[in-house]
Amino acid sequence: MSSSLQGDISDQGFGSPIAYFTFMGTSLNVGGSVWRAFWVFNLPSGLGPVSEAKFVVQPSAYFGDAPQHTVVFTDYLLSPTLLSSIYPVGDATGQAIFADLGAGTVYGQLNVVPADARVDCSTPGCLPQSGHTLTVQLNSAAVAAINANLGGTFVMGGYVTTSSPNMIASSDGVQLGTFLSPSIAELQLVPTPEPGTAGLVVLAGLAVLGLRRRRPR
């Protein structure tokens, strides 16, 4: 499933989810210097317990001349409704959201290199390219949070832990899966098999084994 809302917010509390940017890192362009991102997913109610979860994403832009950036994904404990609002520079709620997106339980991490992004700004040319689709295997903490919110909302935050010797285009970091470019940001869930179904598989295997034993040689 695709995210129903995604965006980013700065250390100065500036955020505008209408723009759908998901930049993480350092940028001196507008409204702050450090940025963190979020993704909101509306979970189905009839899915049942989930045994596995993956975040599939395509980086839309890579900034800075570091050979690699590491993105860490975390939980979000504030109200999801706060993420749909616009916050000006200096807003206390926006600053609280920024702090929440960089703290708490870790759900997984992703290493991104310049070749993964659709726009490579590791050099001043900022060249367009095909990019790569990347998959994050979310951990047991993320799976537990998803199961606790089935039929409701699951929010995941993200921030960059790496830095470059030099910024490119006044920025250093990565941008993942925005609506402003043909890149994806999806949550893939695997439901836990029902006990009855697993039992039927075992019984079917035993039945086949019995037929083989009774078959004349």
Side-chain angles (χ1 to χ4, degrees), residues 119-164:
V119 177
D120 174 14
C121 286
S122 62
T123 60
C126 291
L127 299 176
Q129 54 192 16
S130 59
H132 300 138
T133 299
L134 306 176
T135 300
V136 183
Q137 183 77 44
L138 300 180
N139 61 24
S140 58
V143 172
I146 290 170
N147 283 324
N149 289 282
L150 289 175
T153 301
F154 172 69
V155 181
M156 188 167 62
Y159 63 92
V160 166
T161 62
T162 47
S163 60
S164 297

Side-chain angles (χ1 to χ4, degrees), residues 4 27-28 33 39 54 56 58 61 69 79 88 95 97 103 114 122 127-129 134 142 170 172 189-190 193:
S4 60
S27 178
L28 305 181
S33 56
W39 296 265
K54 297 179 181 179
V56 180
Q58 187 175 62
H69 279 309
S79 172
Q95 291 172 335
I97 293 172
S122 62
L127 299 176
Q129 54 192 16
L134 306 176
S170 299
D172 176 30
L189 306 178
V190 177

